[in-house]
Amino acid sequence: MKIIAVGWNYADHSKELNPTQLPKNPVIFMKPETALLKENKPFYLPDFSKRIDYECELVVRISKMGKNISKKFANRYYDEIGLGIDFTARDLQNNFKAEGSPWEICKGFDNSAPISDFISKEGYDLNELHFSLKKNGETVQQGNTSDMVFSIDEIIEYTSKFFTLKTGDLIFTGTPVGVGPVQINDHLEGYIEEKLMFQFDVL
Ligand code: MG
């Protein structure tokens, strides 16, 4: 399986990190399968970075193989949603950006993609879905999919031009404003609407 992720997909977050302009197409990168961290296992801060940021994101699970999927039919290709963190080694990313180098290491390192269990999308309005992240009991990020620059269906249309999507692939759909660093002993909790999706410790 593969993990596809979208950068700069919420305007306010884009301004936070990259105050130039919104992308014309979704900005796509990937994380390897070894980035997954499941079952609320703790996240251990890696020694190669001094600045790991959380980015809480709605995640969509692909349920059927497809290529060149049109936006109109994209909703047939996923039936479950979850919540995840796109951990980012921001200090490394800033260096890579300055060099014009690819991002893979700062986004795809081991355990950089904690993920909740998945739930059926039925009963949720994915065009207006609220999700949030608490750090040590305090809400630090709140997002609503209505603020996405590119909708889930547009992301699927775009990415499936280049990559065949397969059952079990995950799409991290971008983070809203409020990203920030984690430190040892932080406790993170993620919610879709009022439902607790994950909670784990940073060690
Ligand atoms: Mg992200």
Side-chain angles (χ1 to χ4, degrees), residues 125-142:
D125 179 357
L126 297 191
N127 295 313
E128 205 165 317
L129 189 72
H130 182 264
F131 60 97
S132 60
L133 179 71
K134 286 185 184 178
K135 185 173 89 168
N136 305 327
E138 184 186 333
T139 301
V140 288
Q141 280 194 288
Q142 295 198 66

Side-chain angles (χ1 to χ4, degrees), residues 5-8 13 29 31 55-57 85-88 90 107 172-175 179:
V6 185
W8 319 128
H13 167 63
F29 59 93
K31 290 173 180 262
E55 297 187 357
C56 185
E57 309 197 3
I85 301 266
D86 167 21
F87 272 133
T88 303
R90 194 72 72 198
K107 287 286 196 179
F172 277 62
T173 57
T175 199
V179 304

Side-chain angles (χ1 to χ4, degrees), residues 117-175:
D117 287 340
F118 282 78
I119 56 176
S120 169
K121 71 177 182 183
E122 298 306 321
Y124 291 98
D125 179 357
L126 297 191
N127 295 313
E128 205 165 317
L129 189 72
H130 182 264
F131 60 97
S132 60
L133 179 71
K134 286 185 184 178
K135 185 173 89 168
N136 305 327
E138 184 186 333
T139 301
V140 288
Q141 280 194 288
Q142 295 198 66
N144 193 297
T145 54
S146 62
D147 295 323
M148 285 177 157
V149 179
F150 299 102
S151 70
I152 294 168
D153 294 348
E154 287 168 338
I155 294 166
I156 287 177
E157 178 177 72
Y158 182 73
T159 53
S160 69
K161 287 180 194 173
F162 306 99
F163 308 113
T164 298
L165 299 183
K166 295 176 76 174
T167 302
D169 287 350
L170 303 180
I171 301 179
F172 277 62
T173 57
T175 199

